[in-house]
Amino acid sequence: MSDTIAILNDTTRCTGCEKCVAACKEEYELGRDRPWRAQGAVSDLSSTRYTTIVRRPDEHYVRQQCRHCLEPACVSACLVGAMQKTPEGPVVYDADRCMGCRYCLAACPYGIPRYEWDQRVPYVTKCTMCIERVRRGDIPACVDACPEEATMFGTRAELLAEAHRRIDENPGKYQPRVFGEHEIGGTSVLYISDIPLDFLAWKPDLGTQPLPERTWAALHKVPPLMLGMGGLMTGIYWVVGRRMKLASEAAIELETAASDIQAPAAEAESGEGST
Amino acid sequence: MNKRLLILKTVLWGLVGVLAVVTVARFVNGLGAVTNLSDGAPWGLWIGFDIMGGVALAAGGFVIAAAVYIFGLERYRPFVRPAILTAFLGYIAVAVGLLYDLGVPWHIWHPVRYWQYHSVLFEVAACVMLYLTVLALEFAPVVLEHPRFDKPLFGKVLSGLKRVTIPLVIGGIVLSTLHQSSLGSLFLITPYRLHPLWYSPIMYVLFFISAIALGLMMVTLESLLAAFFLNHKVHKKLLSGLGLAAAAVLGVYVTLRVGDLAIRGVLTTYLDGSWPSMLFVSELAISAIIPAALLLIKPVRSSIAGLALCAALTVSGMVMYRLDVAIVAFARPEELTYFPSWMEFAVSIGIVATFILIFIFFVENFRVYDDVEKAADGPKRSYDPATMHALLPRRLALPRRFSLAAIAAAAVAVVFLPQEAITGVVPASTPVAASRTVDGLPVNREGGGGGRKLQLIEARNGVPEGMPFLMIDGNRNGYPVLFDHKAHEARLENDRSCGVCHHISRPFDRNTACFECHRDMYEPMSTFNHASHVEQLEGNAGCIQCHENTAVEKSAETAVACGECHADLVSPLSFVEAPDDRWQAAVGYMEAMHGLCVSCHETKLAEDPENLPAALDRCDTCHDADRPIELQRMAPHVIASRERGGGG
């Protein structure tokens, strides 16, 4: 995983100019934002905004984008493989496969994937870390556009080293951790910041366990459960069936035996003989 | 047909009519047009009720099949056929509900093509598809028994199916176990969104066990409803047996659910009187504790009223459990509330109504219930002297009544359709208000960059004399841009240069304000007022003045351009170019402001970088960072298009 491509966002350098957003919009021809009734603010992530700047009090600007988790919840959730983890690291989306169940929207701990709610045939949208550009040897459009070097592109190992170097050099300036280094198994988009960035996720403390593992804990029981349940039911059927058969045979035997014994006796007594 | 059934069917047909209307809106205009779903609430009523609730409600099929075929409890055989039919129709209803909910419904078969063993949803999909097949095979004999299928071929199929009953039942039990539990596993991946009182590592166990209890009570409820509406026999003794079994299963469910929460320490932390904890307690009470306690009392479970109450409680409570997990206790962004639109309810209820009608059809035409008591009201069915029905052939009277109900309900539904359901989703409009004159004070900017910033004077106490500024805040969001109009006038040297900024003046107007054409914050719009032109050009006689070419269809494209008549409309000094020759479109307010102000600042700075402050083209020159001004949005597409223009 060390050569996974990654992005490092240094929020202390971001001035909130949104040139990254502009570059992203141009790269993917997203056009004007289409605010609609269910959208909080027009500057939220949306199907026309793969990345945006979240404004926090006291002039803090935090870029929000897909974290490209090392073990992505959306990929593990998708039942048709429309969300895919590329060998290079970014998580990409294949609209041709998508059936539109929106499990990825529910599963993402960072609330990244967005849906084209205003379209007649909606698809999921998200940041792809400009995988096509990277494959051409270019760098992501947002990183390219940043005038303040607040967002950097490189391999994850390099950027982690750089992040730790910056934190170590300015101990008082930064929060003493690289956001995304360990959370839910690590993410490819890393942050160093002077304010806590918990607001980017659904809950402050995500822990280090990758989310797909939680599913797998239940899913790996499926084959044994299948065989076990099948076996159990067959067994019960056989046992119950056999006992009923034996019981009925015994009843018949009893009856015939009783009738044999009682045959010479008076027929009137046969009703009581069954007890 | 008895009166109750007639009323029931009429109501159900009405609901089907409403469903038809919403169906059209849903599939023509998309999910966004008819639902209240959004990025923050991606799953709503259709997933919570139609899918999760629907699968759980159909659990009676495998529970009864297991009891009768596997455990040899032959006395429950009268429930087998109704339970299998309910399950079969229930799962088809789930599939139909899914078609409504999926964004790309024609990809519903994709799980078959792209296997994803790591996805819980894939497992659910695979099991549901297989189980639907199993249920079809289990139910097929009921259809094939019908005299119409009395052919040798069908006979062979029938005997073949009967021979594989046991493997089918076992397969059905296995598949049901897997997907009933997996519906709980679906939420294992959302520990951060599902409330801790519902999230549990053993959710799949809870879902499975609650499905068994729900299945038992659903069979009970259905049996009572069939007695009420269809005059079938109530097997009171058997139902009380089911009730006792359900009480036991509910006991296990409550023990596991509460025990798990207690052991993990969640109960003490979160049972604090907040609304989720109240919801949790009431859900548990309705779904399990109250019915289980009642069912343990013998007189209650031996009486029809008691059974009906308990069954209704469990069924609604367990559906509530599914809804809580999928919707209510599932975190959303703070400012977002989700409540289903009436159309979402209409689809959920309409699908149920449709399948109840299909259920009744099967009951009336096939041997679903073993008892034959319903034959008792046979002769009365065809004649009703009090109504028109007597004059019409019976076969026509009922379809007329039902189609009338459906069409009337559909008509009412059409009236209530919101705008978006008819036209499709339109972006929200943000009307723009005029800028205002306020008193303010220019002060020198601290730090580098030079230049001045503007400051509002809080109170007009007379001490320093303020000067008028324009406060530009078209959307009135409390984050205005202060604009020193006088200084700009001075900088542009004389009055005649108004046209640099006021690039278009409407007729009889010297300096049209921005908001008069750029009337929406973000959306471009037409500036052309057709009605006023019709009036000015004296009605229909004037058409030809603009629509000169009578050989083509009248449209904005084929009409005379605005400039042909209003040559003086656009200022020769204008800094911006009109969007096209026809000038009918104005960009959004924000795009216009940025386009005009920022372009000009950048041009000026490029012309004279020595004397002008370097900060002139920066955002915070206008969106002054020293005041609590939040850049709501900076039109990235404007920046992009400008850079594209500058580069090329």
Side-chain angles (χ1 to χ4, degrees):
Chain A
M1 280 290 170
S2 60
D3 57 347
T4 292
I5 58 170
I7 282 178
L8 172 66
N9 289 316
D10 185 340
T11 64
T12 64
R13 295 194 179 193
C14 181
T15 60
C17 72
E18 294 203 359
K19 286 203 169 163
C20 48
V21 183
C24 180
K25 276 181 171 290
E26 193 184 5
E27 180 73 23
Y28 295 99
E29 294 174 359
L30 300 178
R32 184 185 339 104
D33 288 328
R34 303 184 295 258
W36 73 302
R37 57 184 158 72
Q39 197 173 346
V42 77
S43 59
D44 281 354
L45 283 186
S46 69
S47 57
T48 51
R49 235 178 217 243
Y50 299 171
T51 181
T52 194
I53 302 287
V54 180
R55 281 154 227 288
R56 303 299 285 182
D58 299 324
E59 288 184 62
H60 289 295
Y61 305 103
V62 182
R63 185 150 82 92
Q64 193 182 15
Q65 65 177 116
C66 173
R67 302 292 288 264
H68 300 283
C69 304
L70 299 186
E71 296 192 45
C74 56
V75 172
S76 106
C78 185
L79 76 165
V80 290
M83 285 287 177
Q84 295 154 358
K85 180 89 178 156
T86 55
E88 294 93 334
V91 176
V92 298
Y93 167 76
D94 180 357
D96 290 340
R97 288 188 172 204
C98 183
M99 54 195 269
C101 72
R102 310 183 298 284
Y103 192 18
C104 50
L105 271 78
C108 178
Y110 298 104
I112 297 298
R114 300 286 149 146
Y115 209 52
E116 297 175 317
W117 295 105
D118 54 345
Q119 299 295 302
R120 284 175 166 80
V121 182
Y123 290 97
V124 177
T125 61
K126 72 182 276 298
C127 158
T128 63
M129 219 198 261
C130 287
I131 181 75
E132 292 306 323
R133 282 174 64 109
V134 173
R135 283 179 181 157
R136 289 200 303 263
D138 218 338
I139 64 172
C142 52
V143 179
D144 198 22
C146 184
E148 309 286 338
E149 292 186 351
T151 180
M152 298 165 65
F153 177 74
T155 68
R156 190 162 185 270
E158 269 170 28
L159 292 180
L160 268 178
E162 170 66 15
H164 282 294
R165 192 184 64 75
R166 287 189 192 181
I167 293 175
D168 292 343
E169 280 179 8
N170 291 296
K173 186 178 174 188
Y174 291 104
Q175 296 276 318
R177 59 186 269 221
V178 180
F179 295 88
E181 186 174 10
H182 302 298
E183 289 96 333
I184 53 163
T187 65
S188 299
V189 172
L190 305 162
Y191 289 85
I192 48 174
S193 165
D194 49 349
I195 53 167
L197 298 182
D198 297 331
F199 60 85
L200 289 179
W202 278 105
K203 281 276 165 68
D205 184 19
L206 294 185
T208 56
Q209 188 192 22
L211 290 171
E213 281 181 12
R214 293 183 184 244
T215 310
W216 195 243
L219 263 185
H220 85 272
K221 291 181 187 145
V222 164
L225 184 66
M226 203 157 95
L227 294 175
M229 199 71 188
L232 183 70
M233 287 301 136
T234 316
I236 291 175
Y237 172 68
W238 187 78
V239 170
V240 171
R242 183 158 171 77
R243 286 174 79 173
M244 280 164 66
K245 198 175 157 203
L246 286 180
S248 64
E249 274 174 10
I252 293 168
E253 260 175 39
L254 252 175
E255 239 169 62
T256 46
S259 56
D260 283 351
I261 293 166
Q262 288 169 2
E267 281 183 22
E269 280 179 29
S270 64
E272 292 169 23
S274 60
T275 37
Chain B
M1 190 183 296
N2 67 35
K3 196 138 204 178
R4 286 172 194 164
L5 186 58
L6 193 64
I7 293 171
L8 176 73
K9 277 191 178 178
T10 311
V11 171
L12 291 175
W13 273 105
L15 293 170
V16 172
V18 177
L19 173 70
V21 169
V22 180
T23 303
V24 174
R26 154 66 186 92
F27 288 103
V28 171
N29 289 324
L31 276 177
V34 297
T35 68
N36 281 344
L37 297 172
S38 62
D39 288 323
W43 281 358
L45 185 70
W46 293 349
I47 293 284
F49 180 78
D50 298 29
I51 312 299
M52 313 236 322
V55 167
L57 286 170
F62 89 94
V63 176
I64 294 297
V68 173
Y69 289 107
I70 305 300
F71 291 86
L73 303 172
E74 276 296 325
R75 61 182 179 278
Y76 292 110
R77 192 171 279 275
F79 296 133
V80 169
R81 285 190 167 191
I84 298 282
L85 178 59
T86 312
F88 181 47
L89 295 180
Y91 276 87
I92 297 177
V94 166
V96 171
L98 195 59
L99 286 175
Y100 281 82
D101 188 73
L102 289 180
V104 196
W106 51 92
H107 285 175
I108 193 170
W109 59 280
H110 271 190
V112 182
R113 182 169 164 193
Y114 306 107
W115 287 42
Q116 301 290 319
Y117 64 92
H118 50 68
S119 168
V120 182
L121 206 51
F122 171 70
E123 197 224 311
V124 174
C127 285
V128 168
M129 277 188 265
L130 288 173
Y131 188 44
L132 197 51
T133 316
V134 167
L135 283 170
L137 295 176
E138 281 185 296
F139 185 68
V142 180
V143 179
L144 292 177
E145 274 173 9
H146 194 272
R148 181 167 291 187
F149 296 102
D150 193 12
K151 306 255 164 66
L153 174 66
F154 293 123
K156 268 183 202 157
V157 174
L158 187 59
S159 65
L161 282 175
K162 284 197 168 157
R163 216 170 299 146
V164 293
T165 302
I166 297 299
L168 280 179
V169 168
I170 293 178
I173 296 169
V174 171
L175 291 168
S176 294
T177 311
L178 292 183
H179 72 259
Q180 291 287 0
S181 57
S182 287
L183 282 175
S185 310
L186 270 188
F187 293 88
L188 287 176
I189 207 162
T190 62
Y192 313 118
R193 290 189 76 169
L194 188 56
H195 192 278
L197 284 171
W198 282 269
Y199 187 82
S200 156
I202 59 159
M203 280 183 87
Y204 48 94
V205 182
L206 297 174
F207 264 63
F208 176 60
I209 294 178
S210 62
I212 295 179
L214 177 53
L216 289 168
M217 291 326 269
M218 189 63 195
V219 170
T220 307
L221 190 64
E222 211 177 273
S223 182
L224 296 175
L225 289 175
F228 185 77
F229 287 112
L230 303 165
N231 295 347
H232 283 290
K233 203 168 105 190
V234 184
H235 304 271
K236 230 198 243 178
K237 210 162 181 187
L238 295 182
L239 287 181
S240 115
L242 288 184
L244 198 58
V249 180
L250 286 172
V252 176
Y253 165 71
V254 174
T255 316
L256 277 175
R257 179 114 192 254
V258 178
D260 163 68
L261 292 173
I263 289 169
R264 290 186 300 117
V266 177
L267 218 49
T268 46
T269 325
Y270 287 96
L271 218 53
D272 53 1
S274 60
W275 74 261
S277 69
M278 306 297 259
L279 183 71
F280 170 76
V281 171
S282 50
E283 179 211 298
L284 209 58
I286 295 173
S287 66
I289 297 172
I290 297 176
L294 287 177
L295 285 169
L296 286 177
I297 306 167
K298 190 143 194 259
V300 174
R301 69 169 184 270
S302 315
S303 77
I304 288 182
L307 281 168
L309 174 70
C310 293
L313 282 175
T314 305
V315 168
S316 54
M318 286 305 180
V319 170
M320 188 176 158
Y321 177 36
R322 268 71 182 171
L323 288 174
D324 286 348
V325 169
I327 311 173
V328 188
F330 199 71
R332 283 182 289 280
E334 269 169 33
E335 67 280 3
L336 185 75
T337 51
Y338 166 77
F339 190 81
S341 69
W342 74 261
M343 293 167 288
E344 289 178 79
F345 282 110
V347 168
S348 291
I349 297 170
I351 292 176
V352 173
T354 310
F355 281 88
I356 293 178
L357 284 171
I358 299 176
F359 184 89
I360 295 174
F361 167 80
F362 274 108
V363 170
E364 285 175 344
N365 292 283
F366 298 92
R367 205 164 59 86
V368 175
Y369 288 91
D370 279 336
D371 57 88
V372 284
E373 283 188 12
K374 64 171 173 170
D377 67 342
K380 267 195 270 174
R381 288 170 66 183
S382 58
Y383 182 67
D384 183 2
T387 65
M388 282 278 285
H389 300 165
L391 304 176
L392 291 164
R394 179 72 181 166
R395 290 216 321 267
L396 286 181
L398 280 179
R400 280 187 187 196
R401 174 192 274 260
F402 295 145
S403 58
L404 187 67
I407 291 167
V412 174
V414 168
V415 172
F416 283 97
L417 280 183
Q419 182 72 25
E420 286 194 341
I422 297 164
T423 59
V425 178
V426 285
S429 73
T430 323
V432 167
S435 41
R436 293 162 290 178
T437 308
V438 293
D439 281 342
L441 182 73
V443 294
N444 286 325
R445 179 188 285 274
E446 288 167 21
R452 296 184 310 166
K453 65 171 184 158
L454 309 176
Q455 209 166 40
L456 279 181
I457 293 175
E458 292 291 337
R460 230 195 266 222
N461 288 339
V463 201
E465 264 307 307
M467 53 190 293
F469 292 133
L470 272 183
M471 187 152 83
I472 301 176
D473 57 342
N475 55 354
R476 295 281 195 268
N477 67 349
Y479 298 108
V481 163
L482 288 187
F483 178 74
D484 191 344
H485 194 268
K486 275 217 146 48
H488 278 83
E489 272 176 35
R491 226 166 273 137
L492 297 168
E493 281 162 8
N494 57 53
D495 279 348
R496 276 176 302 171
S497 55
C498 294
V500 173
C501 296
H502 297 276
H503 47 267
I504 286 183
S505 287
R506 298 169 76 192
F508 318 112
D509 196 1
R510 248 182 86 231
N511 44 9
T512 303
C514 315
F515 83 103
E516 290 183 63
C517 296
H518 307 284
R519 278 171 298 193
D520 186 276
M521 199 65 196
Y522 309 108
E523 292 300 311
M525 52 210 331
S526 170
T527 58
F528 180 73
N529 187 341
H530 190 263
S532 108
H533 280 76
V534 170
E535 200 178 318
Q536 289 292 322
L537 301 172
E538 287 165 8
N540 293 341
C543 295
I544 202 162
Q545 294 195 37
C546 295
H547 301 285
E548 280 179 334
N549 188 348
T550 49
V552 297
E553 198 183 339
K554 292 189 187 69
S555 75
E557 282 67 41
T558 57
V560 171
C562 307
E564 304 255 328
C565 304
H566 305 287
D568 55 342
L569 203 62
V570 69
S571 162
L573 298 166
S574 171
F575 185 79
V576 291
E577 284 172 36
D580 63 38
D581 289 339
R582 302 187 174 274
W583 316 333
Q584 288 180 0
V587 294
Y589 188 74
M590 191 199 58
E591 194 173 337
M593 293 294 130
H594 285 164
L596 180 61
C597 305
V598 185
S599 316
C600 187
H601 277 199
E602 283 178 344
T603 315
K604 296 284 178 202
L605 187 62
E607 280 171 6
D608 191 5
E610 260 113 74
N611 296 324
L612 290 169
L616 195 61
D617 67 343
R618 285 180 49 145
C619 312
D620 59 354
T621 300
C622 300
H623 299 277
D624 196 332
D626 292 345
R627 276 182 289 110
I629 282 181
E630 191 156 307
L631 308 180
Q632 275 298 308
R633 192 177 70 159
M634 290 199 300
H637 52 287
V638 177
I639 302 177
S641 61
R642 215 166 46 233
E643 280 181 353
R644 199 167 43 236

